[in-house]
Amino acid sequence: MDSNGGIDKDLDIKVETENGQTYTRTSAVRLREVVARIGGARDRFLIVQRIPDLPDVFAQVWHEEGGDYRLEHRLSEDEFYGTNLTDPVRVAELLTAWARQTARWHAGLGWEPVDLGPREEVPELPDEVREKVEERVRTRLRCGYDDRRTLTEIAEDYLVKGDERPVSRAQAARLVDRLWVERVVEQAAWNGVTDPDRLTRAFETLNASGITARENFGCCRGCGLAEIGAKREGARGFVFFHEQVTEHAVEGHGLALHYGGFDGSDETATAVGHEVLAALRSAGLSADWDGDLDKAIDVKPLTWHRRLVG
């Protein structure tokens, strides 16, 4: 139950803390616990974004032991406000209301503008550069796994040759923000459960049953196989698909899933393959595999509508 006596439902937010922890679609209770925790060394702040993330829209809290809680929220590129509070429970209540977009959640507090400093002038990219970078960013946006920070790095580095850097960090961020908002508007038209939602449910089931299941894991099959062992955590087997396969799914080719047993035996690999197949089908996906360990598990047809988080 939440503090208002209702069911404590997850909030459509992502919370990141200074110590590197991330909480996605967390509850109001967990949010209150995280706010109460911050204040120690290397754990003094948290940043909250709504899902899907929107450029220049977030809330954040700074707290050092013995001091006030500095709560700030940004509404747009030009609107940024902050206030000081002493009660972490009140801070958490305000963040929860912000997350739920409750009308007048911020009323009754002494908000003051946060100085954003002079705005940086960002020159437009030449058309031939912009079009190439846009094509790459749109592909990664359709994959749906990258946040805006990662996409900005991709856009900045995509056309680098030696010392030649045709896209600045600011230009990359501006381009990514524009395309991100376009995709958010586009995904608003998607109704109900999508195929990537079903895939995530299947992988959650497999993780819970002792099979390490990872989406968009590694850049290729070889890297994925080399790295999956580090994610073993007591599991008996694994299944994953890598970034190149994700891009194939975006193009309408379905997914090829790689699988195996951590003991290296054919018997375990075969058992894992059948369990993966069953989980996929139970989640409502079309999946095929004939038991041949030299073949991937094919998941198709797929409509790749993966909603952005940020």
Side-chain angles (χ1 to χ4, degrees), residues 232 235-238 260-272:
R232 180 173 182 171
R236 63 185 181 279
F238 64 86
F262 285 120
D263 65 4
S265 72
D266 287 354
E267 181 181 4
T268 301
T270 299
V272 168

Side-chain angles (χ1 to χ4, degrees), residues 124-141:
E124 294 292 333
L125 289 169
D127 287 347
E128 63 273 16
V129 172
R130 176 184 54 77
E131 289 170 1
K132 290 177 182 177
V133 177
E134 280 184 351
E135 182 179 5
R136 183 60 186 153
V137 171
R138 281 199 169 99
T139 296
R140 295 295 290 256
L141 273 169

